[in-house]
Amino acid sequence: MVILLGARASAPPVRTISSADDVVRRGVSGEERSYDRLLGGLLADGFDERSCRSRYQSVLYRRRPGRRPAAYLVSKLRQQEALQRQCGPGTAAYAHALEQLRSGKSGGDMAGSQECKYLVSISYRGLGNRILATASAFLYAVLTGRALLVDPSNEMGELFCEPFPGTTWLLPPSGFPLASYTNFSVATAESYGNMLRNNVIRTDAAAAAGDVPPPAFSYVHLDHDATEQDKLFFCDEDQRALRRIPWLVMRTDNYIVPGLFLVAGFRAELGRMFPEPDTAFHHAARYLFHPSNHVWGLVARYHDAYLAAAARRVGIQVRVFGSQPDSPALLEQITRCAQRERLLPELLAAAGDDDDGDPVAPPKSRRRKTTTAVLVTSLKSWYSEQLKGMYWERAAAGGEAVSVQQPSHEEFQRSGARSHDAKAWAEVYLLSLTDALVTTAWSTFGYVAQGLAGERPWVMYRPDNETHVPDPPCGRDVSMEPCFHAPPFYDCRLKRGADTGEIVPQVQHCIDMSWGLKIVHQG
């Protein structure tokens, strides 16, 4: 296993950043560049930088500033932070809400109440799924005025810094009355779909008028195996019913935000928060997910050693789905894509020939070459080794110098393993620092990297079989948003099955999964 190629294990030195919003860093070529440390107001000022170095330092590592948040979104984030402090663990409101949950009481009609309401997001499956699920829960919490509490399972507290000032977003492990909430499933009696089916929750006029008391909590099951009743979550009348329930527990392994755009009651608010709809995950991810100091050390050391000096940085994210982990066909697809889109240079036909025609000329007599650093992330090392060998054994057209690096190769996914997840999170973040990104279809790992980067990737299409190379091998994604893999296929207004990629202009089908939904910006 190669980890950071001999980099020191100690944390990076603290970079001093002024209290002003703009900071300046001298680049590799000596020029000074200005950065907005608060990302246009997206981030709140006042955190202790030593407790989370990445929060304000990561902007220094990005060559692109990212999209600027709308002023309305900034105001909504400040309101959510105040709500989190008012309702979070350790407050009187939280203690009162726990007591109501423990007693099975709903606290009356919560739609008109000033009491705190909560959304608990269950953390499970791979790192990419957890990040997409948490971002989805957060945006839903902001839309519905709920305090977000994240299940601390799977090292959520070790991988990420706290996003909300003055409080915690982690659900305290002790004292929560729903002791088995992490085991909730599609069969749980308290799931919203099952409660609808059994008339425990109703969406008729009597329920809307408050004549039917809501339950103390409901479990929202939006996993890949969600039923049609579960997916009624994306209908307005069902949202009105859910609004009255003080505690919601949500499980999903998907990015459900495209479905929120299908809810007519949310559409205007989402439009004010995201005038560019395809920035929803970009802003949520940059606000929420700051690598912990340990993970940030991995990112900063690797970046400074292998990426910082390169004129161009290309990220290639390789996810192998088939039974052939070392696939020549997939390698060919990677190289065809990267060279066809001019992300990597073509190779000269004859080994040993370079663009000067003099492979042994002394370095001082040769003109300065363009340098490209290629960052490969994969569970397997075979693909990066093959790419490295290609650009070592044969010269690149135009005399470009290409280096290929891979931080780690774990061989097998070990979700929930601390060291594995820390390296995976570091690699996702490093991918987001590249100038151009090639991702694998269907991969949540790639979705997170492109959203953090704020760039549309080139997506390698999934082949029909393991020996076939698609033609074309890849395509530029229609937006930087993740794909919702298990969307509803139901028109809530017409109350019948429908193609939900054709209902609103902000949502269309994904290029890597024909039935999935993706948020786009058509302005």
Side-chain angles (χ1 to χ4, degrees):
M1 182 184 303
V2 180
I3 303 175
L4 299 182
L5 304 179
R8 292 178 303 152
S10 58
V14 175
R15 298 174 187 266
T16 301
I17 296 178
S18 88
S19 59
D21 284 357
D22 289 336
V23 296
V24 174
R25 186 190 191 194
R26 188 172 295 278
V28 173
S29 60
E31 79 278 8
E32 289 188 343
R33 300 167 62 196
S34 178
Y35 295 80
D36 175 8
R37 68 189 290 267
L38 298 181
L39 309 182
L42 190 74
L43 303 182
D45 204 357
F47 280 93
D48 177 8
E49 186 183 330
R50 292 171 298 179
S51 67
C52 183
R53 291 170 180 162
S54 67
R55 187 187 312 277
Y56 301 130
Q57 292 182 14
S58 60
V59 67
L60 301 173
Y61 289 75
R62 296 194 180 279
R63 292 176 177 175
R64 294 183 301 266
R67 303 285 188 90
R68 194 168 186 86
Y72 185 72
L73 174 60
V74 171
S75 70
K76 291 290 288 185
L77 293 174
R78 301 294 89 83
Q79 291 173 26
Q80 184 68 26
E81 291 163 0
L83 178 67
Q84 297 285 151
R85 289 191 294 270
Q86 174 189 338
C87 301
T91 64
Y94 180 72
H96 177 64
L98 282 185
E99 187 56 39
Q100 285 188 322
L101 179 60
R102 193 173 290 112
S103 68
K105 297 178 181 178
S106 63
D109 184 353
M110 299 300 295
S113 172
Q114 296 301 311
E115 297 181 60
C116 295
K117 296 179 290 183
Y118 297 86
L119 175 63
V120 176
S121 177
I122 298 175
S123 306
Y124 93 118
R125 296 199 71 184
L127 176 67
N129 298 89
R130 276 178 269 154
I131 290 175
L132 297 182
T134 305
S136 299
F138 171 68
L139 290 177
Y140 179 67
V142 172
L143 285 171
T144 57
R146 292 180 179 271
L148 174 67
L149 294 173
V150 175
D151 164 37
S153 302
N154 292 308
E155 315 299 332
M156 293 297 284
E158 285 74 17
L159 295 172
F160 308 104
C161 301
E162 294 277 1
F164 305 127
T167 186
T168 181
W169 71 334
L170 297 176
L171 179 71
S174 60
F176 189 56
L178 306 178
S180 61
Y181 75 96
T182 57
N183 295 322
F184 286 173
S185 71
V186 68
T188 297
E190 293 85 1
S191 75
Y192 182 71
N194 287 329
M195 283 180 155
L196 276 180
R197 193 178 295 110
N198 298 324
N199 289 318
V200 177
I201 293 177
R202 289 160 49 187
T203 59
D204 56 18
D211 297 337
V212 180
F217 85 95
S218 182
Y219 163 57
V220 177
H221 184 82
L222 296 175
D223 220 2
H224 61 279
D225 61 348
T227 66
E228 291 182 7
Q229 286 79 14
D230 292 316
K231 293 181 182 180
L232 292 175
F233 172 88
F234 298 106
C235 293
D236 280 276
E237 61 185 23
D238 296 87
Q239 282 301 319
R240 284 192 288 270
L242 286 163
R243 193 177 301 131
R244 302 175 62 232
I245 302 173
W247 285 89
L248 298 181
V249 178
M250 178 183 289
R251 180 192 296 277
T252 184
D253 54 359
N254 272 273
Y255 178 66
I256 68 167
V257 180
L260 300 181
F261 276 84
L262 301 177
V263 182
F266 291 157
R267 216 167 293 146
E269 188 75 350
L270 285 167
R272 295 181 69 188
M273 290 166 61
F274 306 109
E276 299 175 298
D278 63 339
T279 62
F281 180 74
H282 176 59
H283 292 317
R286 292 192 305 160
Y287 176 81
L288 286 176
F289 303 114
H290 306 287
S292 64
N293 283 349
H294 168 65
V295 177
W296 183 241
L298 301 178
V299 173
R301 288 191 294 272
Y302 196 91
H303 171 274
D304 291 347
Y306 301 109
L307 301 178
R312 185 171 59 160
R313 307 180 294 204
V314 177
I316 300 177
Q317 181 261 329
V318 183
R319 171 72 187 271
V320 180
F321 290 98
S323 59
Q324 299 180 19
D326 301 339
S327 168
L330 179 53
L331 177 65
E332 183 179 350
Q333 183 179 4
I334 294 168
T335 54
R336 277 191 194 177
C337 173
Q339 293 176 349
R340 176 178 178 268
E341 302 299 337
R342 302 184 182 277
L343 305 178
L344 291 180
E346 299 278 354
L347 295 169
L348 295 179
D353 291 341
D354 68 0
D355 58 322
D356 294 332
D358 183 7
V360 295
K364 290 184 179 180
S365 69
R366 298 166 66 87
R367 69 175 180 267
R368 185 172 182 177
K369 293 179 180 289
T370 300
T371 59
T372 295
V374 182
L375 172 71
V376 178
T377 66
S378 176
L379 290 174
K380 306 293 181 180
S381 62
W382 187 79
Y383 298 95
S384 64
E385 291 299 326
Q386 293 297 312
L387 287 171
K388 185 182 297 184
M390 288 167 51
Y391 284 99
W392 179 38
E393 295 168 8
R394 295 169 60 186
E400 187 169 340
V402 178
S403 67
V404 181
Q405 309 289 343
Q406 181 174 350
S408 70
H409 47 92
E410 295 285 280
E411 301 304 320
F412 302 100
Q413 185 168 340
R414 302 178 179 88
S415 299
R418 180 175 299 184
S419 63
H420 177 89
D421 280 351
K423 284 180 278 190
W425 179 212
E427 292 184 6
V428 168
Y429 214 90
L430 285 165
L431 282 174
S432 78
L433 300 179
T434 58
D435 305 312
L437 185 59
V438 177
T439 63
T440 302
W442 297 22
S443 175
T444 58
F445 198 98
Y447 292 160
V448 175
Q450 72 197 44
L452 282 168
E455 288 293 316
R456 294 184 296 131
W458 282 267
V459 181
M460 292 188 291
Y461 298 120
R462 193 162 183 178
D464 296 330
N465 60 65
E466 295 174 1
T467 61
H468 173 69
V469 178
D471 185 20
C474 62
R476 193 76 184 271
D477 208 339
V478 294
S479 85
M480 58 186 167
E481 279 283 297
C483 181
F484 183 6
H485 286 180
F489 300 98
Y490 184 76
D491 188 314
C492 301
R493 184 177 61 86
L494 300 177
K495 298 189 182 304
R496 68 187 186 194
D499 181 353
T500 45
E502 300 290 339
I503 293 179
V504 295
Q506 302 95 328
V507 176
Q508 69 180 45
H509 290 295
C510 312
I511 68 168
D512 62 328
M513 182 177 282
S514 60
W515 62 88
L517 297 182
K518 177 182 284 281
I519 301 169
V520 298
H521 179 42
Q522 297 182 334

